[in-house]
């Protein structure tokens, strides 16, 4: 799971965005933010792998559809939220 190329690109983009938006003035601060983000990425990958292996027996086709539906609704909600933020910051509204 952690060596998926799409996953690596995604987390590197998160790392780059987080570092560029961090209000850190020193190289040491940037290094600490980078290390903290990398530790968070590693913890996320390990947690997802652990949870998926432990709860694999509970995943029926019906529960998979429900989880996918809830995730899709949440992603759609985030898209609306970020689109509204974009419109407000670009002073379209």
């Amino acid at each position: 799971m952690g060596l998926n190329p799409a996953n690596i690109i995604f987390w590197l983009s998160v790392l780059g965005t987080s570092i560029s938006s961090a209000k850190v003035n020193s190289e040491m601060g940037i290094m600490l933010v980078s290390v903290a983000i990398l530790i968070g990425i590693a913890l996320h990958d390990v947690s997802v792998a652990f949870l998926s292996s432990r709860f694999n027996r509970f995943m029926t086709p019906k529960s998979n559809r429900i989880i996918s539906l809830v995730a899709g609704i949440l992603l759609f909600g985030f898209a609306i939220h970020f689109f509204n933020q974009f419109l407000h910051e670009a002073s379209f509204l």
Side-chain angles (χ1 to χ4, degrees):
M1 177 187 296
L3 296 179
N4 179 359
N7 191 18
I8 293 170
I9 297 297
F10 170 75
W11 285 116
L12 285 177
S13 67
V14 168
L15 178 66
T17 303
S18 300
I19 290 172
S20 68
S21 65
K23 306 256 189 271
V24 180
N25 296 331
S26 66
E27 287 183 21
M28 186 64 167
I30 291 173
M31 190 64 101
L32 286 174
V33 169
S34 300
V35 169
I37 291 171
L38 290 172
I39 289 171
I41 291 169
L43 286 174
H44 173 267
D45 284 346
V46 169
S47 299
V48 168
F50 175 77
L51 289 173
S52 65
S53 69
R54 290 292 178 195
F55 291 102
N56 189 24
R57 63 179 166 255
F58 300 115
M59 291 303 294
T60 63
K62 183 179 178 180
S63 64
N64 200 8
R65 279 193 305 269
I66 292 171
I67 290 171
S68 295
L69 180 67
V70 170
I73 291 169
L74 289 173
L75 285 172
F76 190 69
F78 277 119
I80 291 171
H81 170 72
F82 289 126
F83 185 68
N84 281 337
Q85 269 188 332
F86 168 73
L87 290 178
H88 287 304
E89 288 180 11
S91 66
F92 291 128
L93 294 178

